[in-house]
Amino acid sequence: MKQQDPNNYWEQLERLEKLKSSSELKAGVVFSFHSVIIGIFIDNIGYFQSILSESIFLIILVFLWILLVLISIFYSFKCFMPRMELKFKKNVFFFRNAANSFGNIDEYTEELTKTYSDDEKLYKKLSQQIFIESKIIDQKFKSVQKSITYFVLSFMLLVLILGLFLIIKL
């Protein structure tokens, strides 16, 4: 096997970690915007109540808006907890394996030392970790993209509702 530099693997893992944080930050921002908008709506519900009681159409639009908001929030949360059913061999770099699959700390340390002393084994384990991280990040970005899409739709619907509200009120 040609001599490789393990730093390339570690740098890739670091880059993936930044991508993971980026997706979670985006999901958190979407959730925060929803919280602010919902808070404003709830604080002013009395102001909207009279018009809502007169217009079944606006009530339907508000329920549709709430549905879009809930779907967006669902995908925001899903970004933080992607569900993946992946079955792989034990790997000293998988956090769950490190915590649960190697017995006590001495057995784990011994396995980790063996991994680091065998270049081919080290590169395979790091490659597996990169693969798993990439799968997780892919799921996170899919979820955050859906969350953003439903956020935009809910915001557009909210603008429509407010426009109709102003037309009815005037």
Side-chain angles (χ1 to χ4, degrees):
M1 177 185 231
K2 182 177 114 181
Q3 183 64 28
Q4 297 181 36
D5 183 4
N7 286 328
N8 294 333
Y9 291 85
W10 292 113
E11 288 169 4
Q12 176 68 5
L13 284 168
E14 186 176 321
R15 186 182 75 78
L16 292 173
E17 188 60 36
K18 289 176 184 174
L19 287 171
K20 189 186 317 179
S21 296
S22 170
S23 67
E24 291 172 354
L25 176 66
K26 290 175 185 178
V29 168
V30 169
F31 183 76
S32 296
F33 275 121
H34 281 308
S35 297
V36 169
I37 293 169
I38 290 170
I40 291 169
F41 179 75
I42 290 173
D43 285 347
N44 295 295
I45 193 78
Y47 185 71
F48 299 114
Q49 198 168 15
S50 63
I51 300 248
L52 287 175
S53 64
E54 297 172 11
S55 174
I56 190 73
F57 181 67
L58 273 179
I59 292 173
I60 291 169
L61 289 179
V62 168
F63 278 115
L64 183 58
W65 171 71
I66 291 170
L67 178 65
L68 291 173
V69 167
L70 290 175
I71 292 170
S72 178
I73 290 171
F74 168 77
Y75 282 113
S76 286
F77 280 129
K78 192 172 179 186
C79 175
F80 290 106
M81 299 181 66
R83 286 237 183 256
M84 301 184 63
E85 299 298 326
L86 304 172
K87 303 218 185 276
F88 296 99
K89 295 177 185 172
K90 290 192 302 187
N91 185 325
V92 293
F93 299 117
F94 296 166
F95 79 93
R96 184 159 285 154
N97 287 163
N100 300 307
S101 297
F102 294 100
N104 63 34
I105 192 167
D106 294 326
E107 292 169 308
Y108 173 75
T109 303
E110 184 178 329
E111 185 62 32
L112 185 62
T113 303
K114 284 181 194 175
T115 300
Y116 272 103
S117 64
D118 180 345
D119 284 348
E120 186 174 341
K121 187 175 184 178
L122 174 64
Y123 298 136
K124 283 183 180 180
K125 298 291 184 185
L126 288 171
S127 296
Q128 290 170 359
Q129 181 66 21
I130 290 168
F131 177 79
I132 295 298
E133 289 291 323
S134 297
K135 297 284 266 179
I136 291 169
I137 292 164
D138 181 57
Q139 290 299 313
K140 285 177 172 285
F141 271 97
K142 285 178 183 176
S143 293
V144 81
Q145 184 60 44
K146 288 179 182 178
S147 178
I148 290 169
T149 298
Y150 283 103
F151 170 75
V152 169
L153 291 173
S154 71
F155 188 76
M156 290 172 27
L157 186 58
L158 182 61
V159 169
L160 174 68
I161 291 168
L162 291 175
L164 290 173
F165 179 79
L166 288 174
I167 290 170
I168 293 171
K169 194 71 171 164
L170 298 175

